[in-house]
Amino acid sequence: MSEPDKFEDDLLYALTRTGEGFRTEQAEQAGLVADGYRLGRRRWRRRSAAAVVGGAAALALVGTGTVYLVSPGAGDAGTVSAASAPASSVGITAGSSAGAATPTVLQSAARAAVSGDEVLATFRALLPKGEITEATGQGTDGGPKATQALANLVFDDGQGKSLIQFSISKHRPGQVQLPSCPPDPTLVRVDACTDTVLPDGSKLLLQQGYEYSDSRADTKEWFAVLNGPDGRSVAVHEWNAPKEKGAPDSRPNPPLTLDQLKAVVTDKSWDRIVKALRFDGIDTEAIDPGLSPADYETVLTGLLPSGATVTGRTGQDTGVAFELARAGRAGTVSVLVKNWAKAPDDRPAPQWYQDAEILPDGTKLLTHAPAAPTLSGKLIADATRPDGLEVLVVTASNGDPLLTAAELRTIVTSPAWKAGK
């Protein structure tokens, strides 16, 4: 499948999701709880950017109909909150790559980068005596967008080899879901689990469990996760096998006790690396344009072509989806506005705009239209002004596009869009 076709399919799926709820039988709920916990645990362990093909970012359409964007990182793991990613990361420019946004808070030329070797050395120094092989590290020296530091190694204290993985990232307040012990440990094969709040306000999770909750193998996975008041999230995972999956168990238990895992994640030697990391999300408060859903509707209504009317509205301040009617047809228009003026370092990297049309006033315009009418009839336009205001509009209909590309262009480039604060 070509990159344009992949983008078409992904967007079609996103725009046609209904978000309708479903009911399950009581007998199925236990399995869902276990699967949800297990998948959630893996997500915050392996923090990774949304899969992006040819620069096309993933979109999701929740029950309200509002489009949410996920922006890729520059080869590093990263996450963004719903409706908080750079709108231009819709990936209209194929083949582009850019780092996830960099927050204003820690932007300083004086910030010292940390190499992968230093991350690895710091991690190794906190381990007990033993043989270490297959060691790798990732630091913050790969570019200014680094959001995560990593270390992986195989450790043998004479009792057998064990894979141990370390990761550290940093979240803004309110932009992280703290890990917690499962409500019913028997459903996910957890032998022991505690989550406590330390004197400095950090939350510490310690757990002894298994790689597989369905008992297909008895490989054990023990881990510790520390989430600190400064946004740090430090995690160490270990197994009683030299690989996470697909290798025979090499020892009865992983080598580090829970107390030793706690000592690793709470050690102050990570402070310098925390300072070198940027937050892995965008400052949503800073880029909030200060427009209410009613403000969105007022502006959009004034820009719609003759015969097109708004018949419904759902969404929130950061993005609003409108139901439209025109000439007996119905469709949706989702509008997102970002104000990068208050968070200039959060702006999408220049690569996003390498194929953009530059308008006389300096506005960078990206557009996407299907080569031929498709079921979704989707069109996309994204305009970013020199003053930092960005307007993204996505349309969808069950047939021919409800708005033409020229009409969409008029909407996103209109000076009527102004930041409310």
Side-chain angles (χ1 to χ4, degrees):
M1 181 180 296
S2 68
E3 290 176 353
D5 289 342
K6 179 66 166 59
F7 175 73
E8 292 277 328
D9 289 347
D10 288 348
L11 189 57
L12 174 60
Y13 170 75
L15 292 175
T16 53
R17 288 184 60 186
T18 64
E20 294 178 352
F22 61 93
R23 300 180 61 184
T24 61
E25 296 298 328
Q26 185 173 2
E28 298 174 343
Q29 293 178 359
L32 290 174
V33 170
D35 290 344
Y37 174 81
R38 175 169 47 84
L39 292 174
R41 173 170 62 89
R42 297 207 185 287
R43 286 194 179 97
W44 53 253
R45 186 179 81 208
R46 301 170 178 168
R47 307 191 56 81
S48 58
V52 178
V53 179
L59 293 91
L61 190 64
V62 298
T64 63
T66 302
V67 175
Y68 292 91
L69 304 175
V70 180
S71 122
D76 296 324
T79 61
V80 291
S81 301
S84 68
S88 59
S89 65
V90 71
I92 300 168
T93 301
S96 65
S97 64
T102 308
T104 312
V105 181
L106 293 179
Q107 286 311 292
S108 170
R111 183 200 297 182
V114 176
S115 69
D117 288 342
E118 182 174 349
V119 175
L120 181 58
T122 303
F123 184 43
R124 293 181 63 150
L126 297 174
L127 297 177
K129 291 183 179 180
E131 181 184 6
I132 293 176
T133 57
E134 302 179 40
T136 61
Q138 173 183 304
T140 67
D141 55 351
K145 306 292 187 180
T147 63
Q148 192 176 45
L150 305 170
N152 296 284
L153 52 84
V154 174
F155 176 81
D156 189 349
D157 57 2
Q159 304 299 315
K161 293 184 177 182
S162 166
L163 172 65
I164 307 180
Q165 296 181 341
F166 165 83
S167 68
I168 183 170
S169 55
K170 187 163 55 180
H171 317 294
R172 284 190 173 89
Q175 293 190 1
V176 60
Q177 182 177 354
L178 299 177
S180 59
C181 293
D184 186 349
T186 61
L187 293 177
V188 289
R189 296 187 74 198
V190 171
D191 292 334
C193 184
T194 60
D195 49 65
T196 57
V197 177
L198 304 183
D200 67 351
S202 298
K203 182 175 181 180
L204 174 68
L205 176 72
L206 299 171
Q207 181 170 302
Q208 293 176 321
Y210 298 82
E211 176 63 28
Y212 298 100
S213 60
D214 58 6
S215 301
R216 76 184 74 172
D218 290 326
T219 302
K220 294 180 180 179
E221 178 191 4
W222 294 359
F223 62 86
V225 181
L226 177 83
N227 287 274
D230 59 357
R232 74 179 64 191
S233 180
V234 187
V236 177
H237 291 253
E238 59 173 348
W239 291 262
N240 62 328
K243 293 183 180 180
E244 179 181 353
K245 299 177 185 294
D249 297 346
S250 54
R251 51 188 300 144
N253 293 310
L256 304 184
T257 66
L258 292 182
D259 284 342
Q260 289 175 310
L261 290 174
K262 175 182 177 180
V264 172
V265 298
T266 58
D267 196 90
K268 293 300 182 182
S269 59
W270 301 121
D271 290 357
R272 178 169 178 259
I273 297 175
V274 172
K275 292 179 180 178
L277 289 168
R278 75 166 187 86
F279 289 103
D280 63 1
I282 294 173
D283 192 341
T284 55
E285 292 185 3
I287 66 172
D288 184 350
L291 302 175
S292 68
D295 294 331
Y296 274 85
E297 183 169 349
T298 297
V299 176
L300 179 63
T301 299
L303 298 175
L304 288 175
S306 176
T309 59
V310 174
T311 59
R313 182 186 77 202
T314 55
Q316 301 177 1
D317 298 355
T318 49
V320 183
F322 298 94
E323 298 173 10
L324 298 187
R326 187 182 191 184
R329 291 177 291 133
T332 62
V333 170
S334 295
V335 185
L336 296 92
V337 179
K338 305 283 188 295
N339 183 16
W340 301 108
K342 293 186 177 181
D345 293 318
D346 273 5
R347 287 192 185 195
Q351 291 95 321
W352 287 121
Y353 305 105
Q354 63 184 8
D355 288 344
E357 176 185 356
I358 308 300
L359 304 185
D361 66 353
T363 295
K364 298 174 182 178
L365 177 65
L366 291 165
T367 58
H368 171 81
T374 62
L375 177 62
S376 67
K378 56 191 173 293
L379 295 169
I380 303 171
D382 180 5
T384 302
R385 303 176 191 165
D387 65 2
L389 196 73
E390 179 179 30
V391 181
L392 170 73
V393 176
V394 180
T395 72
S397 62
N398 292 322
D400 292 334
L402 201 66
L403 300 174
T404 67
E407 291 167 340
L408 214 60
R409 176 191 180 108
T410 298
I411 292 173
V412 298
T413 59
S414 171
W417 295 107
K418 299 178 181 179
K421 63 178 180 181

PDB file of all heavy atoms in Angstrom, residues 197-217:
ATOM      1  N   VAL A 197       2.987   6.856  48.387  1.00  0.00           N
ATOM      2  CA  VAL A 197       3.427   8.229  48.193  1.00  0.00           C
ATOM      3  C   VAL A 197       4.595   8.489  49.140  1.00  0.00           C
ATOM      4  O   VAL A 197       4.481   8.314  50.360  1.00  0.00           O
ATOM      5  CB  VAL A 197       2.287   9.225  48.468  1.00  0.00           C
ATOM      6  CG1 VAL A 197       2.795  10.655  48.318  1.00  0.00           C
ATOM      7  CG2 VAL A 197       1.120   8.969  47.518  1.00  0.00           C
ATOM      8  N   LEU A 198       5.732   8.901  48.590  1.00  0.00           N
ATOM      9  CA  LEU A 198       6.933   9.140  49.374  1.00  0.00           C
ATOM     10  C   LEU A 198       6.888  10.529  50.014  1.00  0.00           C
ATOM     11  O   LEU A 198       6.068  11.379  49.625  1.00  0.00           O
ATOM     12  CB  LEU A 198       8.164   9.002  48.473  1.00  0.00           C
ATOM     13  CG  LEU A 198       8.299   7.652  47.737  1.00  0.00           C
ATOM     14  CD1 LEU A 198       9.591   7.617  46.944  1.00  0.00           C
ATOM     15  CD2 LEU A 198       8.232   6.494  48.726  1.00  0.00           C
ATOM     16  N   PRO A 199       7.743  10.804  50.982  1.00  0.00           N
ATOM     17  CA  PRO A 199       7.728  12.091  51.665  1.00  0.00           C
ATOM     18  C   PRO A 199       7.846  13.313  50.745  1.00  0.00           C
ATOM     19  O   PRO A 199       7.308  14.374  51.055  1.00  0.00           O
ATOM     20  CB  PRO A 199       8.937  11.991  52.606  1.00  0.00           C
ATOM     21  CG  PRO A 199       9.044  10.534  52.911  1.00  0.00           C
ATOM     22  CD  PRO A 199       8.681   9.848  51.627  1.00  0.00           C
ATOM     23  N   ASP A 200       8.554  13.185  49.617  1.00  0.00           N
ATOM     24  CA  ASP A 200       8.708  14.326  48.714  1.00  0.00           C
ATOM     25  C   ASP A 200       7.535  14.479  47.751  1.00  0.00           C
ATOM     26  O   ASP A 200       7.552  15.331  46.870  1.00  0.00           O
ATOM     27  CB  ASP A 200      10.009  14.212  47.917  1.00  0.00           C
ATOM     28  CG  ASP A 200       9.999  13.037  46.939  1.00  0.00           C
ATOM     29  OD1 ASP A 200       9.057  12.213  46.990  1.00  0.00           O
ATOM     30  OD2 ASP A 200      10.931  12.945  46.114  1.00  0.00           O
ATOM     31  N   GLY A 201       6.508  13.624  47.909  1.00  0.00           N
ATOM     32  CA  GLY A 201       5.332  13.692  47.047  1.00  0.00           C
ATOM     33  C   GLY A 201       5.380  12.764  45.854  1.00  0.00           C
ATOM     34  O   GLY A 201       4.402  12.676  45.099  1.00  0.00           O
ATOM     35  N   SER A 202       6.482  12.072  45.657  1.00  0.00           N
ATOM     36  CA  SER A 202       6.582  11.125  44.546  1.00  0.00           C
ATOM     37  C   SER A 202       5.677   9.923  44.791  1.00  0.00           C
ATOM     38  O   SER A 202       5.458   9.513  45.933  1.00  0.00           O
ATOM     39  CB  SER A 202       8.026  10.632  44.391  1.00  0.00           C
ATOM     40  OG  SER A 202       8.900  11.696  44.089  1.00  0.00           O
ATOM     41  N   LYS A 203       5.182   9.361  43.699  1.00  0.00           N
ATOM     42  CA  LYS A 203       4.401   8.135  43.799  1.00  0.00           C
ATOM     43  C   LYS A 203       5.248   6.978  43.300  1.00  0.00           C
ATOM     44  O   LYS A 203       5.805   7.016  42.197  1.00  0.00           O
ATOM     45  CB  LYS A 203       3.116   8.223  42.986  1.00  0.00           C
ATOM     46  CG  LYS A 203       2.261   6.960  43.119  1.00  0.00           C
ATOM     47  CD  LYS A 203       0.935   7.068  42.425  1.00  0.00           C
ATOM     48  CE  LYS A 203       0.114   5.791  42.612  1.00  0.00           C
ATOM     49  NZ  LYS A 203      -1.200   5.852  41.939  1.00  0.00           N
ATOM     50  N   LEU A 204       5.359   5.951  44.114  1.00  0.00           N
ATOM     51  CA  LEU A 204       6.186   4.796  43.796  1.00  0.00           C
ATOM     52  C   LEU A 204       5.323   3.553  43.661  1.00  0.00           C
ATOM     53  O   LEU A 204       4.534   3.229  44.544  1.00  0.00           O
ATOM     54  CB  LEU A 204       7.227   4.576  44.899  1.00  0.00           C
ATOM     55  CG  LEU A 204       8.088   3.312  44.778  1.00  0.00           C
ATOM     56  CD1 LEU A 204       9.015   3.408  43.573  1.00  0.00           C
ATOM     57  CD2 LEU A 204       8.886   3.089  46.061  1.00  0.00           C
ATOM     58  N   LEU A 205       5.494   2.859  42.542  1.00  0.00           N
ATOM     59  CA  LEU A 205       4.807   1.591  42.307  1.00  0.00           C
ATOM     60  C   LEU A 205       5.845   0.484  42.249  1.00  0.00           C
ATOM     61  O   LEU A 205       6.824   0.577  41.504  1.00  0.00           O
ATOM     62  CB  LEU A 205       4.020   1.627  41.001  1.00  0.00           C
ATOM     63  CG  LEU A 205       3.337   0.318  40.596  1.00  0.00           C
ATOM     64  CD1 LEU A 205       2.149   0.037  41.506  1.00  0.00           C
ATOM     65  CD2 LEU A 205       2.881   0.366  39.140  1.00  0.00           C
ATOM     66  N   LEU A 206       5.647  -0.553  43.025  1.00  0.00           N
ATOM     67  CA  LEU A 206       6.506  -1.736  43.009  1.00  0.00           C
ATOM     68  C   LEU A 206       5.640  -2.959  42.741  1.00  0.00           C
ATOM     69  O   LEU A 206       4.619  -3.146  43.406  1.00  0.00           O
ATOM     70  CB  LEU A 206       7.224  -1.901  44.353  1.00  0.00           C
ATOM     71  CG  LEU A 206       8.161  -0.771  44.784  1.00  0.00           C
ATOM     72  CD1 LEU A 206       8.625  -0.985  46.223  1.00  0.00           C
ATOM     73  CD2 LEU A 206       9.360  -0.679  43.845  1.00  0.00           C
ATOM     74  N   GLN A 207       6.056  -3.775  41.782  1.00  0.00           N
ATOM     75  CA  GLN A 207       5.207  -4.915  41.428  1.00  0.00           C
ATOM     76  C   GLN A 207       6.035  -6.126  41.044  1.00  0.00           C
ATOM     77  O   GLN A 207       7.052  -6.022  40.352  1.00  0.00           O
ATOM     78  CB  GLN A 207       4.284  -4.552  40.265  1.00  0.00           C
ATOM     79  CG  GLN A 207       3.345  -5.684  39.858  1.00  0.00           C
ATOM     80  CD  GLN A 207       2.285  -5.217  38.879  1.00  0.00           C
ATOM     81  OE1 GLN A 207       1.520  -4.299  39.166  1.00  0.00           O
ATOM     82  NE2 GLN A 207       2.237  -5.835  37.709  1.00  0.00           N
ATOM     83  N   GLN A 208       5.571  -7.277  41.504  1.00  0.00           N
ATOM     84  CA  GLN A 208       6.127  -8.564  41.111  1.00  0.00           C
ATOM     85  C   GLN A 208       5.032  -9.338  40.392  1.00  0.00           C
ATOM     86  O   GLN A 208       4.013  -9.692  40.982  1.00  0.00           O
ATOM     87  CB  GLN A 208       6.611  -9.344  42.343  1.00  0.00           C
ATOM     88  CG  GLN A 208       7.801  -8.713  43.041  1.00  0.00           C
ATOM     89  CD  GLN A 208       8.196  -9.457  44.305  1.00  0.00           C
ATOM     90  OE1 GLN A 208       7.340  -9.917  45.047  1.00  0.00           O
ATOM     91  NE2 GLN A 208       9.493  -9.570  44.558  1.00  0.00           N
ATOM     92  N   GLY A 209       5.243  -9.552  39.123  1.00  0.00           N
ATOM     93  CA  GLY A 209       4.232 -10.249  38.334  1.00  0.00           C
ATOM     94  C   GLY A 209       4.869 -11.098  37.262  1.00  0.00           C
ATOM     95  O   GLY A 209       5.997 -11.590  37.419  1.00  0.00           O
ATOM     96  N   TYR A 210       4.154 -11.268  36.165  1.00  0.00           N
ATOM     97  CA  TYR A 210       4.586 -12.156  35.091  1.00  0.00           C
ATOM     98  C   TYR A 210       4.451 -11.464  33.748  1.00  0.00           C
ATOM     99  O   TYR A 210       3.635 -10.553  33.571  1.00  0.00           O
ATOM    100  CB  TYR A 210       3.754 -13.438  35.103  1.00  0.00           C
ATOM    101  CG  TYR A 210       3.909 -14.245  36.374  1.00  0.00           C
ATOM    102  CD1 TYR A 210       3.186 -13.911  37.523  1.00  0.00           C
ATOM    103  CD2 TYR A 210       4.814 -15.306  36.427  1.00  0.00           C
ATOM    104  CE1 TYR A 210       3.350 -14.639  38.688  1.00  0.00           C
ATOM    105  CE2 TYR A 210       4.974 -16.041  37.599  1.00  0.00           C
ATOM    106  CZ  TYR A 210       4.240 -15.698  38.736  1.00  0.00           C
ATOM    107  OH  TYR A 210       4.408 -16.403  39.888  1.00  0.00           O
ATOM    108  N   GLU A 211       5.259 -11.908  32.815  1.00  0.00           N
ATOM    109  CA  GLU A 211       5.203 -11.344  31.469  1.00  0.00           C
ATOM    110  C   GLU A 211       3.865 -11.633  30.812  1.00  0.00           C
ATOM    111  O   GLU A 211       3.318 -10.800  30.099  1.00  0.00           O
ATOM    112  CB  GLU A 211       6.344 -11.924  30.624  1.00  0.00           C
ATOM    113  CG  GLU A 211       6.330 -11.487  29.159  1.00  0.00           C
ATOM    114  CD  GLU A 211       6.510  -9.997  29.004  1.00  0.00           C
ATOM    115  OE1 GLU A 211       7.137  -9.363  29.874  1.00  0.00           O
ATOM    116  OE2 GLU A 211       6.017  -9.458  28.001  1.00  0.00           O
ATOM    117  N   TYR A 212       3.316 -12.802  31.058  1.00  0.00           N
ATOM    118  CA  TYR A 212       2.048 -13.193  30.437  1.00  0.00           C
ATOM    119  C   TYR A 212       0.986 -13.386  31.516  1.00  0.00           C
ATOM    120  O   TYR A 212       1.174 -14.149  32.467  1.00  0.00           O
ATOM    121  CB  TYR A 212       2.207 -14.495  29.649  1.00  0.00           C
ATOM    122  CG  TYR A 212       3.188 -14.405  28.506  1.00  0.00           C
ATOM    123  CD1 TYR A 212       4.491 -14.898  28.657  1.00  0.00           C
ATOM    124  CD2 TYR A 212       2.826 -13.837  27.291  1.00  0.00           C
ATOM    125  CE1 TYR A 212       5.400 -14.824  27.612  1.00  0.00           C
ATOM    126  CE2 TYR A 212       3.731 -13.759  26.243  1.00  0.00           C
ATOM    127  CZ  TYR A 212       5.018 -14.250  26.405  1.00  0.00           C
ATOM    128  OH  TYR A 212       5.913 -14.169  25.378  1.00  0.00           O
ATOM    129  N   SER A 213      -0.125 -12.710  31.347  1.00  0.00           N
ATOM    130  CA  SER A 213      -1.218 -12.860  32.307  1.00  0.00           C
ATOM    131  C   SER A 213      -2.066 -14.095  32.018  1.00  0.00           C
ATOM    132  O   SER A 213      -2.856 -14.506  32.867  1.00  0.00           O
ATOM    133  CB  SER A 213      -2.109 -11.616  32.279  1.00  0.00           C
ATOM    134  OG  SER A 213      -2.664 -11.425  30.984  1.00  0.00           O
ATOM    135  N   ASP A 214      -1.886 -14.686  30.828  1.00  0.00           N
ATOM    136  CA  ASP A 214      -2.713 -15.844  30.468  1.00  0.00           C
ATOM    137  C   ASP A 214      -2.002 -17.183  30.732  1.00  0.00           C
ATOM    138  O   ASP A 214      -2.450 -18.231  30.279  1.00  0.00           O
ATOM    139  CB  ASP A 214      -3.123 -15.760  29.000  1.00  0.00           C
ATOM    140  CG  ASP A 214      -1.930 -15.700  28.052  1.00  0.00           C
ATOM    141  OD1 ASP A 214      -0.785 -15.830  28.531  1.00  0.00           O
ATOM    142  OD2 ASP A 214      -2.148 -15.510  26.845  1.00  0.00           O
ATOM    143  N   SER A 215      -0.881 -17.133  31.439  1.00  0.00           N
ATOM    144  CA  SER A 215      -0.162 -18.343  31.872  1.00  0.00           C
ATOM    145  C   SER A 215       0.424 -19.156  30.728  1.00  0.00           C
ATOM    146  O   SER A 215       0.736 -20.333  30.907  1.00  0.00           O
ATOM    147  CB  SER A 215      -1.090 -19.251  32.712  1.00  0.00           C
ATOM    148  OG  SER A 215      -1.567 -18.557  33.846  1.00  0.00           O
ATOM    149  N   ARG A 216       0.617 -18.539  29.577  1.00  0.00           N
ATOM    150  CA  ARG A 216       1.238 -19.303  28.486  1.00  0.00           C
ATOM    151  C   ARG A 216       2.701 -19.616  28.798  1.00  0.00           C
ATOM    152  O   ARG A 216       3.285 -20.528  28.211  1.00  0.00           O
ATOM    153  CB  ARG A 216       1.137 -18.520  27.181  1.00  0.00           C
ATOM    154  CG  ARG A 216       2.104 -17.364  27.049  1.00  0.00           C
ATOM    155  CD  ARG A 216       1.911 -16.564  25.797  1.00  0.00           C
ATOM    156  NE  ARG A 216       0.721 -15.731  25.864  1.00  0.00           N
ATOM    157  CZ  ARG A 216       0.416 -14.820  24.949  1.00  0.00           C
ATOM    158  NH1 ARG A 216       1.196 -14.657  23.896  1.00  0.00           N
ATOM    159  NH2 ARG A 216      -0.667 -14.082  25.081  1.00  0.00           N
ATOM    160  N   ALA A 217       3.303 -18.799  29.671  1.00  0.00           N
ATOM    161  CA  ALA A 217       4.659 -19.053  30.146  1.00  0.00           C
ATOM    162  C   ALA A 217       4.781 -18.457  31.540  1.00  0.00           C
ATOM    163  O   ALA A 217       3.988 -17.606  31.937  1.00  0.00           O
ATOM    164  CB  ALA A 217       5.687 -18.431  29.198  1.00  0.00           C
TER     165      ALA A 217
END
